[in-house]
């Protein structure tokens, strides 16, 4: 998401940074490029006009044109304007400030990810906020829709409303709130039916349910991959039934991102949550400043740290780190680290959250370096080994390698590559252990200064970046 827009924006600012002092013509040219980039990203035309006008007004001011680094000054203005367009700094949380059970109404078109998103929100409220959640499907149109939500509830570990055949959406909604009151639920999530397109029957059904339940939150789920259609859908739902927030699904996809930039300006409703994957855990709060940072290549370190703290097993990480530093790292430990990395999501997604790593991500992709595929291959190879082989890789001779390759669906060459990488890693950790903290500091200072040990320029380092013995 936003990859194309980010690349074009970065190009604009690189051009500005090379010009020294800026003229009004330079700013006008840059704004033309920004306008084209946003239109190409499928941002709504009124939003683009408003955005470019705001930036231009501030960018031609005296403090920018006379600035020592005008390119950076314009980038800061664009960053601030992006944050405003996305709804202002800070996430907008779900409103649960009402007597229990709090009704949350989920609306949207069929195929937008509404039912899965309902399960994701239930899991989030249950695990993070320690709320007792009841899921209820009001979709009597789509075959097995109620059964699907029931299965999602089981996976999320939350309650689900028993299915009673023959009931209409309003009856189901009233029964859900009644069960919620009697059984002490904090939140009741009502998943309404969708349609392939907006029609009056769909809107009337949602209005009837809203009148019967008086929801505290009416969340519209839109598919970010549908671009401008998602904005049109949001506008129609907002005009017909009123929405309090937007949840964008498939934000991990390769869409152009214009829907997210247009949503707040078109509907007035904030984007509250975003779906970032297929798993039930893949739901995040929407922070405009973080998204703006990623669009402009500034990264999202806060988001990366937050994701790491939620997904990684820190005790396991510390255990493996101690073994590595002691030089006792084995293939079981390596497999453990691969599992931890996979929990964080795609490598390209992680790299997109690091400042200035957009170009590196392009290099990796241009060389077809699919890191996730490599990790999975390594996991398959390690899983095909015996316990003794994982503990002592040195015993792996030709016959064992053939068996492991056959069992993991790989080749002997793949097995050899893994063993070579593991051996290099083990050697590196042993050297670090021997050097101690003082040696590490000396080595790092040499790397940072561009000199080898003893101040020798350039060289002085053997294979793997360590001092020659």
């Amino acid at each position: 998401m936003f990859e194309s827009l980010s690349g074009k924006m970065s190009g604009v600012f690189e051009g500005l940074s090379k010009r020294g002092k800026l003229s009004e013509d330079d700013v006008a040219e840059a704004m033309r490029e920004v306008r084209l980039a946003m239109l190409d990203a499928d941002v709504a035309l009124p939003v683009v006009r408003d955005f470019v006008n705001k930036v231009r007004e501030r960018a031609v001011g005296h403090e920018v044109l006379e600035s020592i680094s005008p390119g950076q000054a314009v980038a800061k203005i664009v960053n601030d304007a992006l944050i405003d367009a996305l709804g202002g700094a800070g996430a907008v949380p779900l409103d649960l400030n009402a007597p229990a059970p709090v009704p949350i109404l989920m609306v949207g078109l069929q195929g937008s990810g509404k039912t899965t998103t309902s399960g994701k929100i239930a899991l989030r409220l249950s695990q993070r906020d320690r709320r007792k959640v009841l899921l209820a499907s009001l979709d009597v149109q789509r075959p097995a829709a109620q059964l699907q939500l029931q299965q999602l509830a089981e996976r999320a570990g939350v309650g689900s409303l028993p299915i009673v055949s023959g009931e209409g959406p309003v009856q189901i909604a009233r029964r859900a709130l009644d069960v919620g009151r009697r059984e002490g639920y904090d939140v009741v999530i009502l998943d309404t039916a969708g349609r392939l397109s907006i029609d009056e029957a769909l809107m009337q059904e949602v209005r009837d349910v809203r009148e019967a339940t008086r929801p505290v939150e009416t969340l519209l789920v839109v598919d970010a991959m549908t671009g401008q259609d998602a904005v049109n859908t949001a506008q129609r739902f907002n005009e017909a039934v009123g929405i309090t927030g937007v949840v964008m699904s498939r934000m991990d996809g390769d869409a152009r991102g214009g829907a997210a930039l247009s949503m707040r300006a078109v509907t007035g409703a904030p984007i509250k949550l975003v779906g970032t994957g297929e798993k039930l855990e893949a739901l995040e709060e929407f922070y405009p400043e973080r998204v703006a940072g990623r669009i402009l290549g500034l990264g999202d370190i806060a988001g990366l740290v937050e994701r790491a703290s939620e997904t990684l097993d820190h005790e396991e990480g510390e255990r493996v780190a101690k073994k590595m530093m002691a030089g006792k790292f084995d293939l079981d430990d390596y497999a453990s680290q691969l599992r931890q990395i996979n929990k964080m999501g795609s490598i390209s997604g992680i790299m997109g959250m690091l400042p200035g790593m957009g170009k590196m991500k392009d290099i990796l992709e241009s060389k077809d370096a699919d890191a996730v595929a490599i990790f999975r291959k390594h996991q398959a190879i390690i899983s095909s080994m015996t316990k003794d082989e994982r503990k002592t890789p040195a015993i792996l001779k030709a016959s064992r390698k053939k068996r492991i390759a056959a069992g993991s669906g790989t080749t002997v060459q793949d097995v050899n590559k893994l063993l070579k990488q593991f051996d290099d890693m083990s050697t590196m950790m042993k050297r670090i252990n021997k050097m101690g903290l003082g040696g590490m500091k000396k080595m790092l200072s040499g790397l940072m200064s561009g000199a080898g040990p003893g101040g020798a320029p350039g060289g002085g380092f053997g294979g793997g970046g360590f001092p020659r013995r």
Side-chain angles (χ1 to χ4, degrees), residues 327-349:
K328 297 176 180 177
F329 187 66
D330 60 32
L331 284 168
D332 272 330
D333 300 318
Y334 179 52
S336 171
Q337 291 306 289
L338 292 181
R339 286 191 293 272
Q340 295 261 49
I341 292 171
N342 282 335
K343 284 182 183 178
M344 289 280 289
S346 68
I347 298 300
S348 60

Side-chain angles (χ1 to χ4, degrees), residues 19 40 56 93 114 122 170 205 220 242 282 286 330 335 340 350-351 373 377 394 409 430 433 441 444 449 463:
R19 297 192 188 185
D40 187 55
R56 184 185 287 115
K114 179 163 46 64
V170 173
E205 184 177 300
L220 173 68
F286 183 80
D330 60 32
Q340 295 261 49
I350 293 171
M351 291 186 72
K377 185 182 289 185
K430 286 173 184 174
N433 190 41
K441 286 181 179 178
L444 289 172
S449 64

Side-chain angles (χ1 to χ4, degrees), residues 80 85 141 282 296 316:
D80 291 345
Q141 304 288 332
L296 298 181
E316 175 66 8

Side-chain angles (χ1 to χ4, degrees), residues 308-318 337 340 343:
S309 67
E310 290 172 3
T311 58
L312 299 186
D313 185 335
H314 298 288
E315 289 183 7
E316 175 66 8
E318 288 179 9
Q337 291 306 289
Q340 295 261 49
K343 284 182 183 178

Side-chain angles (χ1 to χ4, degrees), residues 376-388:
R376 285 175 180 163
K377 185 182 289 185
H378 284 187
Q379 285 180 305
I381 292 170
I382 295 170
S383 297
S384 297
M385 296 179 183
T386 66
K387 186 176 181 180
D388 288 340

Side-chain angles (χ1 to χ4, degrees), residues 380-381 383-385 400-410:
I381 292 170
S383 297
S384 297
M385 296 179 183
R400 289 178 183 256
K401 290 178 183 177
K402 285 181 182 177
R403 190 203 79 241
I404 291 165
S408 58
T410 59

Side-chain angles (χ1 to χ4, degrees), residues 15 32 42 44 66 86 104 132 147 192 206 230 256 264 275 301 318 337 343 367 389 395 452:
R32 274 195 293 273
D42 219 7
E66 298 298 320
L86 289 165
I104 295 179
K132 187 178 179 183
L147 185 60
T192 61
V206 174
R256 290 174 288 182
R264 179 61 185 259
I301 293 296
E318 288 179 9
Q337 291 306 289
K343 284 182 183 178
K367 292 182 179 180
E389 288 167 346
I395 66 174

